[in-house]
Amino acid sequence: MNRAKRFCGEVAIQNIRKWVNEDSDSAEDDQNTGDSDSEWPEGSQNLELDSGSETEDCVLENASGEAKSEESSSEGEMDASDGEQVELDDESTGGRSEYGNQYKSRSGLIWKSTVPSSSKTKEANIVRESAGPKAAIKDKIQPLDIYRMFITEEMSSDILQYTNAEGRRRADAKQPPDTHWKIVTKDEIDAVNGLLFLCGLFGMSKVSLRRIWSKSPVQNPIFRAVMCGQRFEEILSLMRFDDKTTRDTRRAVDKFAPIRDLWNAFSHQCRTLYSPTAYVTVDEQLLGFRGKCPFRQYIKSKPDKYGIKLWLCSDAQTYYVFNMNPYLGREESRDNATTHSLGTRVVLGLVEPLSLSGRNITCDNLFTNVQLADILYEKKLTLLGTMRKSNRDIPSEFLANRKKEAGSSMFAFSGTKAMVSYVPKRNRAVVLLSTMHNDDKLNETTKKPDIIMDYNRTKGGVDTVDQLCHKYTTKRSTRRWPMCVFYGMIDIAAVNSFVIFLHNNPAFNPKATCKRRMFLEKLAMDLIKPQLEYRRAHSAGLSGSILSAMSVVGYPCLAEPKPPRQMPTRAATLKRKRCVYCPTKIDRKVYTECSICQNRVCPDHSTKTTNTVCVSCV
């Protein structure tokens, strides 16, 4: 009788095994029934994980990540005895009993559930360099002096040279050539930058120039006091950053050629003037641009949607932008492709100056992977970031599962790497990888893992920089992408200058809530001051509205006796000539001349106080 019962039980076990594994291929069957030690990949690192992990959820999942059906479990309980049912569960759960407290990912990497016994501080977490400004800028306390360290005199001279070359080219291309084209000066370039900062400060970056320079009493007179609106628009249209005669040759090998030299000089200054703290963040920034650009990107989650993507490495505590690189599109990435993924190459390129410094790199799931973590750890840098659920290095037990309780955590360890799966709510899971942590500690207040808490504390470096740049942006509407990049550069230069200014001036209005606004206002006024002084010294011919605006902003012109007004007389030999500014097809001939350049000008292209002055000489 006992033999018959045992025979029926064995038949039932065989049938249940057949039902459970009918959809499994032969390779998976060999993996579930073989010796786990012999199947581990050679050279794989074993990790230890917390004994308090959610083993109940893991037991109900097989090695392929599929949960065992409740029907097969109930049938096994009805048809088999207790001892035989244990054997059945071991085989149907994907070899859980064979691996013990270990997890195997699809890539073959083995993770352990026990915490590593070593409590020694990792060498990669030891920062031996003090954070703050370097010696070259440590004694600078004025906003303009600090700003000049990022946008240097050499960079401004190059911009001035190429801008005048473009202006001369346009003047020569006119028929007939414009012999009275006015050369752009260094003071005008600085004044344009200062007015751009003021536009951002007053929230007028998207306001038309005609409205900004209007004579309305509600408009700020500082713009009319510095320069004419037409001159401001002309300088922005002429502004160039490279030699146009050699641009085509350079662009054939570098899409970023029109502004590459200026970009490299600026990023070099950012790297050499400041030492970041122990935590830096790597992320992307999108400069809004909808014009023609060979590497324009579309990012749905960004406010601007379309634009130029920049990779930034910033300090997670002070928000100083330490390093930056442009993204030049998929083809450029393929040309420079190696065995590493795009995210790995981006992070390694940005943090290369920080090698052997012991800092931690925080990034999102676009960059984080096991390969990057191992490479950074060899450079004595740690990694902390989220991982995409499609990553093959994540064990299936760490993915979302309806059976996991909200607020629960699972830990896994592999050599120097630690992984945690946190469940913020049912059927959701957030997976993070860290080489900075080697334990399974939870925060006493929030009951979240320390890995989660440290990530939330250090992940916002680049996002905060993006917010700061958008708050008082200098970016104006343009159809030339190099100008868009230039606007982004001076926005970042203003943020970095403000960080160093606060470090060098710890007593700067400690109770003020608008420190950055006060800093930008002082910087803008320092930039436009030389142009205001020049205008005050050459005030002859300026209109009454301009003189009034200059008096309002604190640069009154010296009162000069006005000559008696004379009735215009026409000499017998004086002939009418065509206005130099009116189109040829209009053929507008006048007697009046500009008192400065002696060109014939019509009333529409001149202003008149005591003397007639054309629009170029105003």
Side-chain angles (χ1 to χ4, degrees):
M1 190 65 178
N2 294 334
R3 182 177 302 176
K5 290 182 179 180
R6 186 163 51 253
F7 175 79
C8 293
E10 293 176 355
V11 171
I13 292 173
Q14 293 178 359
N15 292 335
I16 293 174
R17 290 176 179 174
K18 181 178 180 181
W19 296 337
V20 172
N21 300 323
E22 62 181 357
D23 294 334
S24 304
D25 54 8
S26 59
E28 292 178 347
D29 292 340
D30 295 339
Q31 180 180 1
N32 293 337
T33 57
D35 186 5
S36 60
D37 294 335
S38 62
E39 293 184 3
W40 288 350
E42 183 178 359
S44 62
Q45 297 178 341
N46 298 334
L47 298 185
E48 300 177 358
L49 213 145
D50 185 10
S51 59
S53 303
E54 299 182 11
T55 56
E56 296 178 359
D57 295 338
C58 301
V59 169
L60 294 177
E61 296 178 352
N62 56 24
S64 62
E66 300 176 355
K68 185 182 70 174
S69 62
E70 296 179 359
E71 296 180 359
S72 61
S73 300
S74 60
E75 291 175 358
E77 293 177 356
M78 290 187 297
D79 296 341
S81 61
D82 294 340
E84 292 167 341
Q85 181 63 28
V86 173
E87 180 182 359
L88 174 63
D89 288 342
D90 290 342
E91 296 184 14
S92 63
T93 55
R96 176 64 176 171
S97 62
E98 297 173 4
Y99 288 115
N101 293 329
Q102 298 173 346
Y103 310 98
K104 186 175 182 179
S105 63
R106 288 181 297 170
S107 63
L109 184 62
I110 302 300
W111 299 83
K112 287 188 176 181
S113 61
T114 55
V115 179
S117 58
S118 176
S119 60
K120 182 180 178 181
T121 302
K122 296 181 179 180
E123 187 178 0
N125 292 134
I126 302 176
V127 181
R128 297 181 174 86
E129 185 180 10
S130 60
K134 297 292 184 66
I137 200 174
K138 203 167 186 178
D139 58 341
K140 307 292 183 181
I141 59 175
Q142 294 300 324
L144 182 59
D145 295 336
I146 299 174
Y147 178 79
R148 292 290 190 198
M149 297 298 293
F150 293 98
I151 306 297
T152 62
E153 295 290 348
E154 293 77 8
M155 298 164 62
S156 299
S157 299
D158 291 341
I159 295 175
L160 181 63
Q161 175 185 352
Y162 300 134
T163 300
N164 281 321
E166 176 67 14
R168 177 52 57 191
R169 185 190 66 81
R170 291 189 184 183
D172 295 341
K174 289 184 178 181
Q175 296 298 332
D178 185 4
T179 59
H180 299 283
W181 177 74
K182 189 176 180 181
I183 297 177
V184 181
T185 64
K186 179 182 178 300
D187 291 343
E188 287 181 316
I189 291 291
D190 291 340
V192 167
N193 291 339
L195 293 180
L196 288 175
F197 282 122
L198 289 179
C199 287
L201 198 62
F202 301 148
M204 305 176 69
S205 294
K206 296 184 179 180
V207 178
S208 65
L209 297 181
R210 178 174 296 181
R211 179 181 171 187
I212 294 175
W213 263 267
S214 68
K215 298 179 182 179
S216 172
V218 299
Q219 293 297 334
N220 198 314
I222 186 66
F223 299 96
R224 285 184 286 113
V226 175
M227 66 172 54
C228 177
Q230 294 179 350
R231 184 62 172 173
F232 179 82
E233 185 178 14
E234 180 185 20
I235 293 176
L236 287 182
S237 66
L238 295 177
M239 192 171 289
R240 295 296 185 273
F241 314 100
D242 70 324
D243 187 1
K244 192 171 183 178
T245 59
T246 61
R247 182 183 300 168
D248 293 338
T249 304
R250 291 180 286 106
R251 181 179 280 176
V253 295
D254 183 12
K255 297 179 181 178
F256 211 61
I259 199 173
R260 172 65 71 179
D261 294 339
L262 183 66
W263 176 272
N264 290 342
F266 174 68
S267 59
H268 174 75
Q269 291 299 108
C270 292
R271 292 191 299 268
T272 57
L273 293 176
Y274 188 84
S275 177
T277 60
Y279 301 94
V280 297
T281 307
V282 173
D283 207 344
E284 62 186 11
Q285 182 189 32
L286 188 71
L287 302 177
F289 181 73
R290 288 181 174 266
K292 185 177 180 181
C293 179
F295 45 87
R296 189 185 64 178
Q297 299 293 310
Y298 171 77
I299 303 179
K300 183 178 180 180
S301 60
K302 298 293 184 180
D304 294 323
K305 309 300 183 187
Y306 292 91
I308 301 172
K309 184 192 292 186
L310 304 179
W311 307 115
L312 300 186
C313 175
S314 68
D315 195 315
Q317 298 181 10
T318 62
Y319 313 120
Y320 178 93
V321 179
F322 177 76
N323 200 1
M324 64 203 79
N325 282 324
Y327 177 62
L328 303 181
R330 184 178 301 176
E331 296 181 358
E332 186 76 12
S333 301
R334 289 177 178 176
D335 295 340
N336 300 328
T338 59
T339 57
H340 306 320
S341 63
L342 172 62
T344 301
R345 296 197 304 272
V346 169
V347 175
L348 293 179
L350 290 175
V351 303
E352 180 62 27
L354 300 177
S355 297
L356 307 179
S357 65
R359 290 177 172 84
N360 178 77
I361 313 300
T362 303
C363 50
D364 59 16
N365 56 22
L366 176 63
F367 311 95
T368 308
N369 58 74
V370 171
Q371 183 187 31
L372 175 61
D374 293 335
I375 296 175
L376 290 178
Y377 199 84
E378 294 178 358
K379 300 177 179 292
K380 291 183 170 49
L381 298 173
T382 57
L383 178 69
L384 174 60
T386 56
M387 301 183 70
R388 291 181 174 176
K389 62 180 181 180
S390 59
N391 195 303
R392 293 177 56 84
D393 294 320
I394 302 177
S396 59
E397 293 86 349
F398 280 63
L399 299 178
N401 192 327
R402 293 182 179 179
K403 298 180 180 180
K404 296 182 180 180
E405 297 182 359
S408 61
S409 302
M410 292 180 61
F411 292 87
F413 302 88
S414 175
T416 60
K417 299 177 290 293
M419 181 183 294
V420 62
S421 175
Y422 177 72
V423 182
K425 59 182 180 180
R426 295 187 66 86
N427 203 26
R428 292 286 301 274
V430 180
V431 182
L432 285 88
L433 179 69
S434 173
T435 56
M436 184 178 67
H437 302 80
N438 57 357
D439 52 39
D440 57 354
K441 293 182 180 180
L442 302 178
N443 185 273
E444 297 179 357
T445 304
T446 61
K447 303 303 180 183
K448 295 181 180 180
D450 285 351
I451 298 179
I452 298 283
M453 302 300 294
D454 290 340
Y455 175 77
N456 291 338
R457 181 169 54 88
T458 59
K459 69 178 181 179
V462 176
D463 293 337
T464 304
V465 170
D466 202 12
Q467 293 177 3
L468 293 174
C469 292
H470 275 76
K471 178 67 175 178
Y472 301 121
T473 181
T474 61
K475 180 180 174 297
R476 297 196 58 82
S477 177
T478 179
R479 292 181 294 178
R480 296 188 294 120
W481 67 260
M483 281 300 299
C484 177
V485 176
F486 176 72
Y487 291 141
M489 286 175 52
I490 59 178
D491 283 339
I492 293 176
V495 173
N496 288 357
S497 301
F498 179 64
V499 172
I500 295 180
F501 176 79
L502 290 182
H503 188 280
N504 295 346
N505 298 271
F508 172 68
N509 288 340
K511 296 182 180 180
T513 58
C514 52
K515 292 182 179 180
R516 185 162 176 256
R517 186 179 183 88
M518 297 169 63
F519 170 83
L520 290 176
E521 182 179 345
K522 182 69 167 61
L523 173 61
M525 293 303 298
D526 290 343
L527 286 171
I528 66 179
K529 182 178 178 180
Q531 179 65 11
L532 285 172
E533 293 178 346
Y534 175 83
R535 258 199 161 186
R536 181 169 62 177
H538 301 78
S539 59
L542 297 180
S543 64
S545 62
I546 295 178
L547 297 176
S548 176
M550 295 180 64
S551 300
V552 171
V553 299
Y555 288 84
C557 298
L558 298 178
E560 296 181 359
K562 295 183 179 180
R565 185 172 182 179
Q566 300 178 357
M567 296 298 296
T569 58
R570 299 174 183 174
T573 58
L574 188 63
K575 296 182 179 180
R576 292 192 307 161
K577 292 185 179 180
R578 184 181 296 112
C579 175
V580 296
Y581 296 102
C582 291
T584 305
K585 61 181 181 180
I586 296 180
D587 194 25
R588 190 174 187 178
K589 297 179 180 180
V590 293
Y591 287 100
T592 57
E593 293 181 347
C594 175
S595 61
I596 299 178
C597 61
Q598 282 76 45
N599 284 331
R600 294 296 178 91
V601 290
C602 66
D604 293 340
H605 296 95
S606 62
T607 60
K608 185 171 182 179
T609 53
T610 57
N611 298 318
T612 301
V613 183
C614 66
V615 292
S616 297
C617 298
V618 174

